[in-house]
Amino acid sequence: MEALPDDDVLWARALHFQHDDGSPALCGVSLGVREGEILAIGGPRGSGKTTLLRCLSGLVPVRRGEVWFNSVPVHTMGPLTRERLRRDRFGWIDPAPSLVPELNAWENTALPLMLRGTSRRRAKTAALEWLERLDIGDSARKRPHQLVQAERQRVCIARALAPAPSVLFADEPTAPLHRADRAHVLRTLTTAARSHRITVVLATHDAETAALADRTVSLLDGRRVQTVHLPPVAETSEPEGRAACSLSV
């Protein structure tokens, strides 16, 4: 078996995944993510970005292939062990905000901390600090139905950052935000990740968002791809702009 890279906190090899209807979602994807790195997973909608994040985070079991976190095999874990791993070490941001309607903004933000056993007072302090950083501190006592969608997404981002996870998985985290809000939230997210040494795996189809990452891996139809710029060819030849595909690093 190939040795795991020493500097990779997250490592995957030859991931294959199929949807319930049998259609392929991932076809032999391999990659490594270094500790503290911000890695963007780029590609058009339907390219497999979300499925890759779900496999890497243990949200869904890997059908074929391997996923390792800190040299621990995630792909062999049972459902309860994967759930504890996600609770204690991982954070997740969805493209659409999802909050507990009965809880206000700070309570939603503090929820992961309290589930880990943090006292209510300490959890509240951390939650309020992150809500302030994301310019939504004034709405800390409002419930989700009293917030607009962009505000709810800021709460979701604060909730993911408050526990200082080892790895943060962000699936199109700024999709619901206006352009002006998007830049500020992304700066806050990346600055927080670097200052707290949080590894970030960021799925996006937006080039400006991907530009904030340390490195970008591109997917197309469930495969890693590397675009090669070809020289002009005669009209009778194949069309320009074809891409060469690679299944691994």
Side-chain angles (χ1 to χ4, degrees), residues 35-54:
E35 183 178 3
E37 181 181 29
I38 299 176
L39 176 69
I41 307 296
R45 297 186 188 279
S47 59
K49 302 187 300 297
T50 297
T51 301
L52 178 56
L53 262 63
R54 288 166 64 87

Side-chain angles (χ1 to χ4, degrees), residues 23-234:
S23 59
L26 296 176
C27 304
V29 175
S30 298
L31 58 81
V33 191
R34 295 183 295 273
E35 183 178 3
E37 181 181 29
I38 299 176
L39 176 69
I41 307 296
R45 297 186 188 279
S47 59
K49 302 187 300 297
T50 297
T51 301
L52 178 56
L53 262 63
R54 288 166 64 87
C55 289
L56 292 174
S57 66
L59 194 58
V60 296
V62 175
R63 308 289 174 84
R64 287 172 53 197
E66 301 175 5
V67 176
W68 298 79
F69 168 68
N70 282 341
S71 300
V72 176
V74 179
H75 56 283
T76 62
M77 291 180 178
L80 292 179
T81 306
R82 293 201 315 273
E83 183 179 342
R84 285 195 295 269
L85 177 67
R86 294 197 306 272
R87 182 194 65 196
D88 296 337
R89 306 301 298 275
F90 294 163
W92 182 278
I93 304 172
D94 273 315
S98 177
L99 299 171
V100 181
E102 295 83 7
L103 303 181
N104 63 31
W106 81 256
E107 290 169 334
N108 267 285
T109 304
L111 186 58
L113 284 165
M114 290 190 285
L115 290 175
R116 292 184 182 184
T118 305
S119 69
R120 181 178 176 88
R121 173 179 290 184
R122 291 183 60 189
K124 181 178 181 179
T125 299
L128 292 175
E129 288 177 355
W130 279 107
L131 291 173
E132 287 291 343
R133 290 189 191 187
L134 288 159
D135 290 341
I136 196 172
D138 292 342
S139 300
R141 295 190 176 278
K142 292 183 179 180
R143 292 193 177 184
H145 74 274
Q146 298 173 299
L147 304 172
V148 300
Q149 187 181 43
E151 292 172 330
R152 291 196 296 271
Q153 186 68 347
R154 287 174 184 263
V155 175
C156 290
I157 294 171
R159 179 180 61 189
L161 287 168
S166 298
V167 182
L168 175 61
F169 297 92
D171 185 12
E172 302 281 2
T174 59
L177 305 179
H178 296 296
R179 189 178 184 87
D181 291 336
R182 189 181 307 164
H184 170 69
V185 169
L186 282 172
R187 283 195 301 272
T188 302
L189 176 60
T190 54
T191 299
R194 296 188 195 285
S195 64
H196 289 73
R197 294 291 294 169
I198 298 173
T199 302
V200 178
V201 184
L202 170 69
T204 182
H205 66 278
D206 179 62
E208 293 183 9
T209 300
L212 294 174
D214 299 312
R215 184 165 56 99
T216 299
V217 168
S218 296
L219 296 184
L220 183 64
D221 295 333
R223 292 178 169 85
R224 283 194 61 173
V225 297
Q226 180 180 5
T227 301
V228 178
H229 297 287
L230 301 177
V233 294

